[in-house]
Amino acid sequence: MMNLAFSHEPGTAISCLSIPITLHKEGGPGIPETELKCGFKIGGGIDQDYRKSPQGYEDNGIYVTDIAPDSAAGRAGLRVHDKILQLNGYDFTMVTHKKAVDYIKKLPVLNMLVARKGVTQT
């Protein structure tokens, strides 16, 4: 299996291109902001054992593990295996899985900086 992730020590500088992505969550009328759908799943976190990751990630970062078809995430340009470095100014390189999920759920608009293996320039 080809490893599409890259190695990074949490809390240290990372040499990569940060790709800005703005994702507007979706939902119907009357849906509370906390229940809006973003259309992606994540894996990882500093409290997880990355060696057990079925995707073969090499660090404890927060990675996009799934994108729903025809979702806000797909339309925003997010891809499976993107590593979320920052979300609305919050550092995602040193966060637990639960804290990342909670932070993603509470915001209607996600302004992310992601790293994508193999992307070094735009």
Side-chain angles (χ1 to χ4, degrees), residues 12 22 24 46 57 65-66 73-75 91 100:
T12 63
T22 299
H24 296 269
I46 59 173
Y57 299 137
T65 58
D66 186 52
R75 284 188 289 283
D91 180 8

Side-chain angles (χ1 to χ4, degrees), residues 1 12 26 41 55 57 70 80 92 95 97 112 114-115 122:
M1 179 167 92
T12 63
E26 300 172 334
K41 295 180 182 177
Q55 291 85 6
Y57 299 137
D70 193 35
V80 172
F92 259 43
V95 68
H97 184 84
M112 295 181 268
V114 302
T122 57

Side-chain angles (χ1 to χ4, degrees), residues 5-120:
F6 48 89
S7 184
H8 169 245
E9 182 68 31
T12 63
I14 185 170
S15 179
C16 68
L17 177 71
S18 296
I19 302 167
I21 292 180
T22 299
L23 187 156
H24 296 269
K25 291 184 182 177
E26 300 172 334
I31 301 290
E33 284 187 359
T34 56
E35 294 180 24
L36 294 175
K37 302 294 181 197
C38 53
F40 71 96
K41 295 180 182 177
I42 60 168
I46 59 173
D47 58 332
Q48 306 293 309
D49 185 352
Y50 66 86
R51 294 168 295 194
K52 294 180 181 176
S53 164
Q55 291 85 6
Y57 299 137
E58 296 180 359
D59 63 38
N60 290 97
I62 299 294
Y63 288 91
V64 176
T65 58
D66 186 52
I67 297 193
D70 193 35
S71 66
R75 284 188 289 283
L78 204 59
R79 294 187 191 167
V80 172
H81 304 302
D82 280 353
K83 180 176 185 175
I84 303 174
L85 304 174
Q86 195 178 85
L87 183 81
N88 291 16
Y90 186 78
D91 180 8
F92 259 43
T93 65
M94 292 289 292
V95 68
T96 64
H97 184 84
K98 182 179 181 340
K99 184 74 81 174
V101 169
D102 290 347
Y103 201 76
I104 289 167
K105 282 184 174 181
K106 78 177 187 177
L107 302 165
V109 178
L110 307 179
N111 292 299
M112 295 181 268
L113 286 178
V114 302
R116 187 171 292 155
K117 188 169 185 168
V119 176
T120 57

